Amino acid sequence: MPHSSRLSLILSFPLLLAAAPLGAQSLDVPFSTYCPPDAQAACFGAATVMGLNPNGDGFLAVRTGPGSQYPMIAKIHNGDRVGVYGARGDWTAISFGPDNRLGWAHRNWLGDFIP
């Protein structure tokens, strides 16, 4: 790809991210799952929920934004695989479940990352 085409793609990438649909789910802090068809590297990765105390709540809260102040929209459990799209501080933007819902989860309980 010529340098000017790559530069144009890089400069327009944030605009493409903002335009990506999020589906029916509403997040307080949305993120993009868009990956350009000609991407040279992986746009997202995967991780496994792990380390949750079996004597505790037994779940990892999925929230509408990157913080415990945001509403919980789902619960995921040890061994669940999630897609990873980015991070803000200690919070990771994820997709989860059979219908690939979107949300935010605390990174302390995500491991076995595949970039």
Side-chain angles (χ1 to χ4, degrees):
M1 175 182 288
H3 177 72
S4 61
S5 295
R6 277 185 282 158
L7 182 57
S8 175
L9 179 63
I10 291 168
L11 292 176
S12 66
F13 193 66
L15 297 174
L16 294 172
L17 289 177
L22 289 175
Q25 184 177 336
S26 177
L27 296 175
D28 289 316
V29 181
F31 58 89
S32 178
T33 60
Y34 177 77
C35 186
D38 61 347
Q40 297 294 317
C43 297
F44 60 92
T48 302
V49 178
M50 55 185 9
L52 297 172
N53 181 349
N55 298 318
D57 291 339
F59 67 86
L60 175 58
V62 179
R63 299 187 177 275
T64 62
S68 58
Q69 72 274 21
Y70 292 97
M72 183 172 64
I73 55 174
K75 299 175 182 179
I76 51 180
H77 303 89
N78 281 330
D80 289 349
R81 294 289 291 165
V82 298
V84 174
Y85 297 91
R88 284 198 186 176
D90 289 337
W91 292 83
T92 303
I94 65 167
S95 63
F96 63 97
D99 54 352
N100 287 313
R101 292 179 61 196
L102 302 180
W104 292 86
H106 199 283
R107 71 180 176 132
N108 280 358
W109 291 274
L110 298 175
D112 290 342
F113 282 92
I114 299 172

